[in-house]
Amino acid sequence: MTLSNGTSDGAIRWGILGTGFIAGLQTQDLVDNGFTVQAAGSRTLESSERFSETFGIPTAHGSYEELVADPEVDVVYVATPHTFHYAHARLALNAGKHVLVEKPFTVNAREAQELVALAGAQGLVVLEAMWSRFLPHMARLREIIAEGSLGQIRKVTASHNQNLPKDPAHRLNDPSLGGGALLDLGVYPVSLVFDVLGGPDTIRASAAMTATGVDRQTAAIFEYPDGQQALVDCALDTASNNRAAIIGTEGWIDIEPTWYNPTSFTRYDNQGNVLERFHQPVTGRGMQYQAAEMERLIRAGLTAGTVLPPAESVAVMAAMDEIRRQIGLKYDADSAPE
């Protein structure tokens, strides 16, 4: 496997849908690595113009509808809160645009499946912006696993715990906005488990809830037919070092904090001897790698890659649905008609 260098020749033109914090992070990495950011769109022209001026974007649109209709835009990055991912991704797909959708892909598996089906029918790429999947250390991890030098993978452990705003009105604590630790933070370790072990046979989950009715912390055990296990946990009101490990019969890999950011890892044999120390410096936040994969798929005329195919994003959301079912966390979108 040749690792992507996360750069672009600038031929494919990007539109940014949403102008919040995460949109700024992605846009900065695009601009710094040669990607063409052609337009931005927000609910107000003022916000779009302010964002466009910050990043040197030629066109500012005062609505999402105007952005997706822009003939100078080839691919739309959806960076709105996740309760809006489904609607805004549909908007872009129906306008004939390829779409990179911030994680979590949607609120539930039903929405995810509908987006994937729509993109497939249109011959368009829809890719979940689970940016950690595309980082250099994760690409090298997949190579090691494929080589078989760890033996049979028996266990994956991963945490994502942060000390985030506790204001009940904040979107993280608001069930009407898909709040809770699981969708914002837990999606990272759940996605890692799917990356390494695939989908589980069974899931056992437990959570503690906030006064507003969302999960403040959640833990889950993923179990597989051959006895493998994955242990994942997340919390939005307590921080940790956020390590991850992949443990096999012939050795293990320790991914250093913060495992889902650009970072290093060490590979050991089962006697504890160091076999490899991986470290590759990454410029910026590292979100350019998922954009490079998006452009690769578009150029190749593909609608699915191997790192994160759309069907796997649907399966991840189905696992999240099951965890939410077990911990009693429901959202408005769950009652939407089929």
Side-chain angles (χ1 to χ4, degrees):
M1 176 188 290
T2 301
L3 303 182
S4 167
N5 62 6
T7 61
S8 172
D9 63 7
I12 293 173
R13 301 162 298 181
W14 288 74
I16 311 299
L17 192 155
T19 54
F21 175 72
I22 193 69
L25 294 176
Q26 177 69 79
T27 302
Q28 189 66 66
D29 279 350
L30 291 173
V31 170
D32 289 346
N33 289 278
F35 294 81
T36 296
V37 183
Q38 179 63 35
S42 184
R43 290 173 296 178
T44 66
L45 184 58
E46 179 185 16
S47 176
S48 183
E49 287 178 336
R50 185 167 56 248
F51 187 88
S52 296
E53 182 178 355
T54 298
F55 296 102
I57 300 170
T59 306
H61 293 292
S63 72
Y64 302 139
E65 290 78 8
E66 290 178 11
L67 173 71
V68 301
D70 188 334
E72 300 298 312
V73 169
D74 303 306
V75 54
V76 170
Y77 168 60
V78 173
T80 46
H82 45 253
T83 46
F84 302 105
H85 288 178
Y86 172 73
H88 293 155
R90 279 187 64 89
L91 188 70
L93 290 168
N94 282 325
K97 310 299 186 186
H98 304 284
V99 186
L100 178 65
V101 189
E102 252 311 317
K103 48 84 197 113
F105 193 53
T106 52
V107 170
N108 56 39
R110 177 189 57 78
E111 290 184 342
Q113 182 57 57
E114 289 183 11
L115 283 187
V116 171
L118 176 59
Q122 304 256 32
L124 296 168
V125 181
V126 61
L127 179 66
E128 181 184 7
M130 178 49 71
W131 62 290
S132 59
R133 285 268 185 131
F134 303 95
L135 292 172
H137 73 284
M138 295 303 299
R140 176 59 187 143
L141 281 171
R142 283 188 288 273
E143 288 183 337
I144 293 169
I145 292 168
E147 291 164 1
S149 59
L150 294 178
Q152 183 192 38
I153 305 300
R154 292 283 181 84
K155 187 180 295 185
V156 176
T157 64
S159 295
H160 190 178
N161 303 303
Q162 295 192 40
N163 187 19
L164 299 174
K166 298 174 178 61
D167 179 0
H170 192 281
R171 69 163 188 86
L172 287 166
N173 304 304
D174 186 347
S176 70
L177 294 177
L182 181 64
L183 257 65
D184 254 273
L185 308 179
V187 67
Y188 283 88
V190 170
S191 187
L192 174 67
V193 170
F194 272 79
D195 197 4
V196 177
L197 291 174
D201 189 42
T202 60
I203 298 174
R204 290 185 286 163
S206 176
M209 312 302 281
T210 68
T212 59
V214 301
D215 63 311
R216 64 174 176 81
Q217 65 181 51
T218 294
I221 302 173
F222 288 49
E223 299 173 320
Y224 293 80
D226 292 334
Q228 299 100 321
Q229 293 178 320
L231 311 175
V232 300
D233 67 272
C234 58
L236 52 70
D237 62 351
T238 52
S240 74
N241 61 0
N242 293 327
R243 299 186 82 98
I246 301 168
I247 303 165
T249 55
E250 300 300 324
W252 76 89
I253 292 173
D254 177 36
I255 313 175
E256 296 182 1
T258 300
W259 71 263
Y260 48 83
N261 285 343
T263 190
S264 307
F265 69 77
T266 304
R267 175 164 61 113
Y268 301 87
D269 66 17
N270 57 13
Q271 302 300 312
N273 300 305
V274 175
L275 300 181
E276 177 181 352
R277 168 79 174 168
F278 180 89
H279 177 70
Q280 179 175 320
V282 170
T283 60
R285 191 171 190 245
M287 298 176 76
Q288 64 269 28
Y289 293 95
Q290 63 185 1
E293 170 68 1
M294 186 71 176
E295 292 197 352
R296 184 190 72 81
L297 293 172
I298 293 170
R299 287 193 180 91
L302 300 172
T303 56
T306 58
V307 175
L308 184 53
E312 189 160 306
S313 291
V314 175
V316 167
M317 290 314 306
M320 303 272 279
D321 286 354
E322 174 58 18
I323 293 172
R324 288 199 296 113
R325 184 191 69 79
Q326 292 187 28
I327 66 174
L329 177 57
K330 296 182 179 180
Y331 297 126
D332 292 344
D334 297 331
S335 58
E338 295 290 337

Coordinates of all heavy atoms in Angstrom, one line a residue, residues 217-289:
Q217 N -21.3 9.2 29.8 CA -20.3 8.2 29.6 C -20.9 6.9 29.2 O -22.0 6.5 29.7 CB -19.3 8.0 30.8 CG -20.0 7.4 32.0 CD -18.9 7.3 33.1 OE1 -18.3 8.3 33.4 NE2 -18.8 6.2 33.7
T218 N -20.3 6.2 28.3 CA -20.7 4.9 27.8 C -19.6 3.9 27.6 O -18.5 4.4 27.1 CB -21.5 5.1 26.4 OG1 -22.7 5.9 26.6 CG2 -21.9 3.8 25.8
A219 N -19.8 2.7 27.9 CA -18.8 1.6 27.6 C -19.5 0.5 26.9 O -20.7 0.2 27.2 CB -18.2 1.2 28.9
A220 N -18.8 -0.2 26.1 CA -19.4 -1.4 25.4 C -18.3 -2.4 25.1 O -17.1 -2.2 24.9 CB -20.0 -0.9 24.1
I221 N -18.8 -3.7 25.2 CA -18.0 -4.8 24.8 C -18.5 -5.4 23.5 O -19.7 -5.7 23.4 CB -18.0 -5.9 25.9 CG1 -17.5 -5.4 27.2 CG2 -17.2 -7.1 25.4 CD1 -17.7 -6.4 28.4
F222 N -17.7 -5.5 22.5 CA -18.0 -6.1 21.2 C -17.5 -7.5 21.2 O -16.3 -7.7 21.5 CB -17.4 -5.4 20.0 CG -18.0 -4.0 19.7 CD1 -18.3 -3.1 20.7 CD2 -18.4 -3.7 18.5 CE1 -18.8 -1.9 20.5 CE2 -19.0 -2.4 18.2 CZ -19.2 -1.5 19.2
E223 N -18.4 -8.5 20.9 CA -18.0 -9.9 21.0 C -18.1 -10.5 19.6 O -19.0 -10.2 18.8 CB -18.8 -10.6 22.0 CG -18.7 -10.1 23.4 CD -19.7 -10.7 24.4 OE1 -20.8 -10.9 24.0 OE2 -19.2 -10.9 25.5
Y224 N -17.2 -11.5 19.3 CA -17.1 -12.1 18.0 C -17.2 -13.6 18.1 O -16.9 -14.2 19.1 CB -15.8 -11.6 17.3 CG -15.8 -10.2 17.0 CD1 -15.5 -9.2 18.0 CD2 -16.1 -9.7 15.7 CE1 -15.5 -7.9 17.7 CE2 -16.1 -8.3 15.4 CZ -15.8 -7.4 16.4 OH -15.8 -6.1 16.2
P225 N -17.6 -14.2 17.0 CA -17.8 -15.7 17.0 C -16.6 -16.5 17.4 O -16.7 -17.5 18.1 CB -18.2 -16.0 15.6 CG -18.8 -14.8 15.1 CD -18.0 -13.7 15.7
D226 N -15.4 -16.0 17.1 CA -14.2 -16.8 17.4 C -13.6 -16.3 18.8 O -12.4 -16.7 19.1 CB -13.1 -16.6 16.3 CG -13.5 -17.3 15.0 OD1 -14.3 -18.3 15.1 OD2 -13.1 -16.8 14.0
G227 N -14.3 -15.6 19.5 CA -13.9 -15.2 20.9 C -13.2 -13.9 21.0 O -12.8 -13.5 22.1
Q228 N -12.9 -13.2 19.9 CA -12.3 -11.9 20.0 C -13.3 -10.9 20.7 O -14.5 -11.1 20.7 CB -12.0 -11.3 18.6 CG -11.0 -12.2 17.8 CD -11.7 -13.0 16.8 OE1 -12.8 -13.6 17.1 NE2 -11.2 -13.2 15.6
Q229 N -12.6 -9.9 21.3 CA -13.4 -8.9 22.0 C -12.8 -7.5 21.7 O -11.7 -7.4 21.4 CB -13.3 -9.1 23.5 CG -14.0 -10.3 24.1 CD -13.8 -10.4 25.6 OE1 -12.7 -10.1 26.1 NE2 -14.9 -10.8 26.3
A230 N -13.7 -6.5 21.8 CA -13.3 -5.1 21.7 C -13.9 -4.4 22.9 O -15.1 -4.6 23.2 CB -13.7 -4.5 20.4
L231 N -13.1 -3.6 23.5 CA -13.6 -2.8 24.7 C -13.5 -1.3 24.3 O -12.4 -0.8 24.1 CB -12.7 -3.1 25.9 CG -12.5 -4.6 26.2 CD1 -11.6 -4.7 27.4 CD2 -13.8 -5.3 26.5
V232 N -14.6 -0.6 24.3 CA -14.6 0.8 23.9 C -15.3 1.6 25.0 O -16.2 1.1 25.6 CB -15.3 1.0 22.5 CG1 -14.6 0.2 21.4 CG2 -16.8 0.6 22.6
D233 N -14.8 2.8 25.2 CA -15.5 3.7 26.2 C -15.3 5.1 25.7 O -14.4 5.5 25.0 CB -14.9 3.5 27.6 CG -13.5 3.9 27.7 OD1 -12.6 3.1 27.4 OD2 -13.3 5.1 28.1
C234 N -16.3 5.9 26.2 CA -16.3 7.4 25.9 C -16.9 8.1 27.0 O -17.8 7.6 27.7 CB -17.0 7.6 24.5 SG -18.7 7.1 24.5
A235 N -16.6 9.4 27.1 CA -17.2 10.2 28.2 C -17.0 11.7 27.7 O -16.0 12.0 27.1 CB -16.5 10.0 29.5
L236 N -18.0 12.5 28.0 CA -17.9 13.9 27.7 C -17.6 14.9 28.8 O -17.5 16.1 28.6 CB -19.1 14.4 26.9 CG -20.5 14.1 27.5 CD1 -20.8 15.0 28.7 CD2 -21.6 14.3 26.4
D237 N -17.5 14.3 30.0 CA -17.2 15.2 31.2 C -16.0 14.8 32.0 O -15.8 15.3 33.1 CB -18.5 15.2 32.1 CG -18.8 13.9 32.7 OD1 -18.2 12.9 32.3 OD2 -19.7 13.9 33.6
T238 N -15.2 13.9 31.5 CA -14.0 13.5 32.1 C -12.9 13.2 31.1 O -13.2 12.5 30.1 CB -14.1 12.2 33.0 OG1 -14.7 11.2 32.2 CG2 -15.0 12.4 34.2
A239 N -11.7 13.7 31.2 CA -10.7 13.6 30.3 C -9.8 12.4 30.6 O -9.7 11.9 31.8 CB -9.8 14.8 30.2
S240 N -9.2 11.8 29.6 CA -8.2 10.7 29.8 C -7.1 10.8 28.8 O -7.1 11.7 27.9 CB -8.8 9.3 29.7 OG -9.1 9.0 28.4
N241 N -6.1 9.9 28.8 CA -5.0 10.0 27.9 C -5.4 9.4 26.5 O -4.7 9.6 25.5 CB -3.8 9.3 28.4 CG -4.0 7.8 28.6 OD1 -5.1 7.3 28.4 ND2 -2.9 7.1 29.1
N242 N -6.5 8.7 26.4 CA -7.0 8.3 25.1 C -6.0 7.5 24.3 O -5.6 7.9 23.2 CB -7.6 9.5 24.3 CG -8.8 10.1 24.9 OD1 -9.6 9.4 25.5 ND2 -8.9 11.4 24.8
R243 N -5.7 6.3 24.9 CA -4.8 5.4 24.2 C -5.7 4.3 23.5 O -6.9 4.2 23.8 CB -3.9 4.7 25.2 CG -2.9 5.6 25.9 CD -1.9 4.8 26.7 NE -0.8 4.3 25.9 CZ 0.4 5.0 25.9 NH1 0.5 6.1 26.5 NH2 1.4 4.5 25.2
A244 N -5.1 3.5 22.6 CA -5.7 2.4 22.0 C -4.7 1.3 21.9 O -3.5 1.6 21.8 CB -6.3 2.8 20.7
A245 N -5.1 0.1 21.8 CA -4.2 -1.1 21.7 C -4.9 -2.1 20.8 O -6.1 -2.3 20.8 CB -3.9 -1.7 23.0
I246 N -4.1 -2.8 20.0 CA -4.5 -3.9 19.2 C -3.6 -5.1 19.6 O -2.4 -5.1 19.6 CB -4.3 -3.6 17.7 CG1 -5.1 -2.4 17.3 CG2 -4.7 -4.9 16.9 CD1 -4.8 -1.9 15.9
I247 N -4.3 -6.2 20.2 CA -3.6 -7.2 20.8 C -3.8 -8.6 20.1 O -4.9 -9.0 19.9 CB -4.1 -7.4 22.3 CG1 -3.9 -6.0 23.0 CG2 -3.4 -8.5 23.0 CD1 -4.6 -5.9 24.3
G248 N -2.7 -9.2 19.7 CA -2.8 -10.4 19.0 C -2.0 -11.5 19.7 O -1.3 -11.3 20.7
T249 N -2.1 -12.7 19.1 CA -1.4 -13.9 19.7 C 0.1 -13.8 19.6 O 0.8 -14.5 20.4 CB -1.9 -15.2 19.1 OG1 -1.8 -15.1 17.7 CG2 -3.4 -15.4 19.4
E250 N 0.6 -13.1 18.6 CA 2.0 -13.0 18.4 C 2.6 -11.6 18.8 O 3.8 -11.4 18.6 CB 2.4 -13.3 17.0 CG 1.9 -14.7 16.5 CD 2.6 -15.8 17.3 OE1 3.8 -15.6 17.7 OE2 2.0 -16.8 17.6
G251 N 1.8 -10.7 19.3 CA 2.3 -9.4 19.7 C 1.2 -8.4 19.8 O 0.0 -8.7 19.7
W252 N 1.6 -7.2 20.1 CA 0.5 -6.1 20.2 C 1.1 -4.8 19.7 O 2.3 -4.6 19.6 CB 0.0 -6.0 21.6 CG 1.0 -5.3 22.6 CD1 1.0 -4.0 22.9 CD2 2.0 -5.9 23.5 NE1 2.0 -3.7 23.9 CE2 2.6 -4.9 24.2 CE3 2.4 -7.3 23.6 CZ2 3.6 -5.2 25.1 CZ3 3.4 -7.5 24.5 CH2 4.0 -6.5 25.3
I253 N 0.2 -3.9 19.5 CA 0.5 -2.5 19.1 C -0.1 -1.5 20.1 O -1.3 -1.6 20.4 CB -0.1 -2.2 17.7 CG1 0.7 -3.0 16.6 CG2 0.1 -0.7 17.4 CD1 0.1 -2.9 15.2
D254 N 0.7 -0.6 20.6 CA 0.2 0.4 21.5 C 0.2 1.7 20.8 O 1.3 2.2 20.3 CB 1.2 0.5 22.7 CG 0.8 1.6 23.7 OD1 -0.4 1.8 23.9 OD2 1.7 2.2 24.2
I255 N -1.0 2.3 20.6 CA -1.1 3.6 19.9 C -1.1 4.7 20.9 O -2.0 4.7 21.8 CB -2.4 3.6 19.0 CG1 -2.6 2.4 18.2 CG2 -2.3 4.9 18.1 CD1 -3.9 2.3 17.4
E256 N -0.2 5.6 20.8 CA 0.0 6.6 21.8 C -1.1 7.7 21.8 O -1.8 7.8 20.8 CB 1.4 7.2 21.7 CG 2.5 6.2 21.8 CD 3.9 6.8 21.7 OE1 3.9 8.1 21.5 OE2 4.9 6.1 21.8
P257 N -1.2 8.4 22.9 CA -2.2 9.5 23.0 C -1.8 10.6 21.9 O -0.6 10.8 21.8 CB -2.1 10.0 24.4 CG -1.4 8.9 25.2 CD -0.5 8.2 24.2
T258 N -2.8 11.2 21.3 CA -4.1 10.7 21.3 C -4.3 9.8 20.1 O -4.1 10.3 19.0 CB -5.1 12.0 21.3 OG1 -4.8 12.8 22.4 CG2 -6.5 11.6 21.2
W259 N -4.8 8.6 20.3 CA -4.7 7.6 19.2 C -5.4 8.0 17.9 O -5.0 7.6 16.8 CB -5.3 6.3 19.7 CG -6.8 6.2 19.9 CD1 -7.4 6.4 21.1 CD2 -7.7 5.9 18.9 NE1 -8.8 6.3 20.8 CE2 -9.0 6.0 19.5 CE3 -7.7 5.7 17.5 CZ2 -10.2 5.8 18.8 CZ3 -8.9 5.5 16.8 CH2 -10.1 5.5 17.5
Y260 N -6.5 8.8 18.0 CA -7.2 9.1 16.8 C -6.7 10.4 16.1 O -7.2 10.8 15.0 CB -8.7 9.3 17.1 CG -9.0 10.2 18.3 CD1 -9.0 11.6 18.2 CD2 -9.2 9.6 19.6 CE1 -9.2 12.4 19.3 CE2 -9.4 10.4 20.7 CZ -9.4 11.8 20.5 OH -9.6 12.6 21.7
N261 N -5.7 11.1 16.7 CA -5.0 12.2 16.1 C -3.7 11.7 15.4 O -3.3 10.5 15.7 CB -4.6 13.2 17.2 CG -5.8 14.0 17.7 OD1 -6.8 14.1 17.0 ND2 -5.6 14.7 18.8
P262 N -3.1 12.5 14.6 CA -1.8 12.1 14.1 C -0.9 11.8 15.3 O -0.6 12.6 16.2 CB -1.3 13.3 13.3 CG -2.5 14.0 12.9 CD -3.5 13.8 14.1
T263 N -0.3 10.6 15.3 CA 0.5 10.1 16.5 C 1.4 9.0 16.1 O 1.5 8.6 15.0 CB -0.5 9.7 17.7 OG1 0.3 9.5 18.9 CG2 -1.2 8.4 17.3
S264 N 2.1 8.5 17.1 CA 3.0 7.4 16.9 C 2.4 6.1 17.5 O 1.5 6.1 18.3 CB 4.3 7.7 17.6 OG 4.9 8.9 17.2
F265 N 3.0 5.0 17.1 CA 2.7 3.7 17.8 C 4.0 2.8 17.9 O 4.9 3.0 17.1 CB 1.6 3.0 17.1 CG 1.9 2.4 15.7 CD1 2.6 1.2 15.6 CD2 1.4 3.0 14.6 CE1 2.9 0.7 14.3 CE2 1.7 2.5 13.3 CZ 2.4 1.3 13.2
T266 N 3.9 1.9 18.8 CA 5.0 0.9 19.0 C 4.4 -0.5 18.8 O 3.4 -0.8 19.4 CB 5.6 1.1 20.3 OG1 6.1 2.4 20.5 CG2 6.8 0.1 20.5
R267 N 5.1 -1.3 18.0 CA 4.7 -2.7 17.8 C 5.7 -3.6 18.6 O 6.9 -3.4 18.6 CB 4.8 -3.1 16.4 CG 4.5 -4.5 16.1 CD 4.1 -4.8 14.6 NE 5.2 -4.5 13.7 CZ 5.9 -5.3 13.0 NH1 5.6 -6.6 13.1 NH2 6.8 -4.9 12.2
Y268 N 5.1 -4.5 19.4 CA 5.9 -5.4 20.3 C 5.6 -6.9 19.8 O 4.5 -7.2 19.3 CB 5.5 -5.3 21.7 CG 5.6 -3.9 22.3 CD1 4.6 -2.9 22.2 CD2 6.8 -3.6 23.0 CE1 4.7 -1.7 22.7 CE2 6.9 -2.3 23.6 CZ 5.9 -1.4 23.4 OH 6.0 -0.1 24.0
D269 N 6.6 -7.7 20.1 CA 6.3 -9.2 20.0 C 5.6 -9.6 21.3 O 5.5 -8.8 22.2 CB 7.5 -10.0 19.6 CG 8.6 -10.0 20.7 OD1 8.3 -9.6 21.9 OD2 9.7 -10.4 20.4
N270 N 5.2 -10.9 21.4 CA 4.5 -11.3 22.6 C 5.4 -11.5 23.8 O 5.0 -11.9 24.9 CB 3.6 -12.5 22.4 CG 4.4 -13.7 21.8 OD1 5.6 -13.7 21.9 ND2 3.7 -14.7 21.4
Q271 N 6.7 -11.2 23.7 CA 7.7 -11.1 24.8 C 7.9 -9.7 25.3 O 8.7 -9.5 26.2 CB 9.0 -11.8 24.4 CG 8.8 -13.3 23.9 CD 8.2 -14.2 25.0 OE1 8.7 -14.1 26.2 NE2 7.2 -14.9 24.6
G272 N 7.3 -8.8 24.6 CA 7.5 -7.4 25.0 C 8.7 -6.7 24.3 O 9.0 -5.5 24.6
N273 N 9.3 -7.3 23.3 CA 10.4 -6.7 22.6 C 9.9 -5.8 21.5 O 8.9 -6.1 20.8 CB 11.3 -7.8 21.9 CG 11.9 -8.8 22.9 OD1 12.5 -8.4 23.8 ND2 11.6 -10.1 22.7
V274 N 10.5 -4.6 21.4 CA 10.1 -3.6 20.4 C 10.5 -4.1 19.0 O 11.7 -4.3 18.7 CB 10.6 -2.2 20.7 CG1 10.3 -1.3 19.6 CG2 10.1 -1.7 22.0
L275 N 9.5 -4.2 18.1 CA 9.8 -4.6 16.7 C 9.7 -3.4 15.8 O 10.4 -3.4 14.7 CB 8.8 -5.6 16.3 CG 8.7 -6.9 17.0 CD1 7.7 -7.9 16.4 CD2 10.1 -7.6 17.0
E276 N 8.9 -2.4 16.1 CA 8.8 -1.3 15.2 C 8.3 -0.1 16.0 O 7.4 -0.2 16.9 CB 7.8 -1.6 14.1 CG 7.5 -0.4 13.2 CD 6.5 -0.7 12.1 OE1 6.1 -1.9 11.9 OE2 6.1 0.2 11.3
R277 N 8.8 1.1 15.7 CA 8.4 2.3 16.2 C 8.0 3.2 15.0 O 8.8 3.6 14.2 CB 9.5 3.0 17.0 CG 9.3 4.4 17.4 CD 8.4 4.6 18.6 NE 8.3 6.0 19.1 CZ 7.4 6.4 19.9 NH1 6.5 5.6 20.4 NH2 7.4 7.7 20.3
F278 N 6.7 3.5 14.9 CA 6.2 4.3 13.7 C 6.0 5.7 14.2 O 5.3 6.0 15.1 CB 4.9 3.7 13.2 CG 4.4 4.5 12.0 CD1 4.8 4.1 10.7 CD2 3.5 5.5 12.2 CE1 4.3 4.9 9.6 CE2 3.0 6.3 11.1 CZ 3.4 5.9 9.8
H279 N 6.6 6.6 13.4 CA 6.3 8.0 13.6 C 6.4 8.8 12.3 O 7.5 8.7 11.6 CB 7.2 8.7 14.6 CG 7.0 10.1 14.8 ND1 5.9 10.7 15.4 CD2 7.8 11.2 14.4 CE1 6.0 12.0 15.4 NE2 7.1 12.3 14.8
Q280 N 5.4 9.4 11.8 CA 5.4 10.2 10.6 C 4.8 11.6 10.9 O 3.6 11.6 11.1 CB 4.7 9.5 9.4 CG 4.7 10.3 8.1 CD 4.0 9.6 7.0 OE1 4.2 8.4 6.8 NE2 3.3 10.3 6.2
P281 N 5.6 12.6 10.8 CA 5.1 13.9 11.1 C 4.0 14.3 10.1 O 4.0 13.9 8.9 CB 6.3 14.9 10.9 CG 7.5 14.0 11.1 CD 7.1 12.6 10.5
V282 N 3.0 15.0 10.6 CA 1.8 15.4 9.8 C 1.6 16.9 9.9 O 1.6 17.4 11.1 CB 0.5 14.6 10.3 CG1 -0.7 15.2 9.6 CG2 0.6 13.1 9.9
T283 N 1.4 17.5 8.8 CA 1.2 19.0 8.9 C -0.3 19.2 9.2 O -1.2 18.5 8.8 CB 1.5 19.7 7.6 OG1 0.7 19.1 6.5 CG2 3.0 19.5 7.2
G284 N -0.5 20.3 10.0 CA -1.9 20.7 10.3 C -2.5 19.6 11.2 O -1.9 18.9 12.0
R285 N -3.8 19.5 11.1 CA -4.6 18.6 11.9 C -4.6 17.2 11.3 O -4.8 16.2 12.0 CB -6.0 19.1 12.1 CG -6.8 18.3 13.2 CD -8.1 19.0 13.5 NE -8.8 18.4 14.6 CZ -9.9 17.7 14.6 NH1 -10.5 17.5 13.4 NH2 -10.5 17.2 15.7
G286 N -4.3 17.1 10.0 CA -4.3 15.8 9.3 C -5.6 15.5 8.6 O -5.8 14.3 8.2
M287 N -6.5 16.4 8.5 CA -7.8 16.2 7.8 C -7.6 16.2 6.3 O -8.6 15.9 5.5 CB -8.8 17.2 8.2 CG -9.1 17.1 9.7 SD -10.2 18.4 10.3 CE -11.8 17.8 9.8
Q288 N -6.5 16.6 5.8 CA -6.2 16.5 4.3 C -6.2 15.1 3.7 O -6.5 14.9 2.6 CB -4.9 17.3 4.0 CG -3.7 16.6 4.5 CD -3.3 17.1 5.9 OE1 -4.1 17.6 6.7 NE2 -2.0 17.1 6.2
Y289 N -5.9 14.1 4.6 CA -5.8 12.8 4.1 C -7.2 12.2 3.6 O -7.3 11.5 2.6 CB -5.2 11.9 5.1 CG -3.7 12.2 5.4 CD1 -3.4 13.1 6.4 CD2 -2.7 11.7 4.5 CE1 -2.1 13.4 6.7 CE2 -1.4 12.1 4.8 CZ -1.1 12.9 5.8 OH 0.3 13.3 6.0

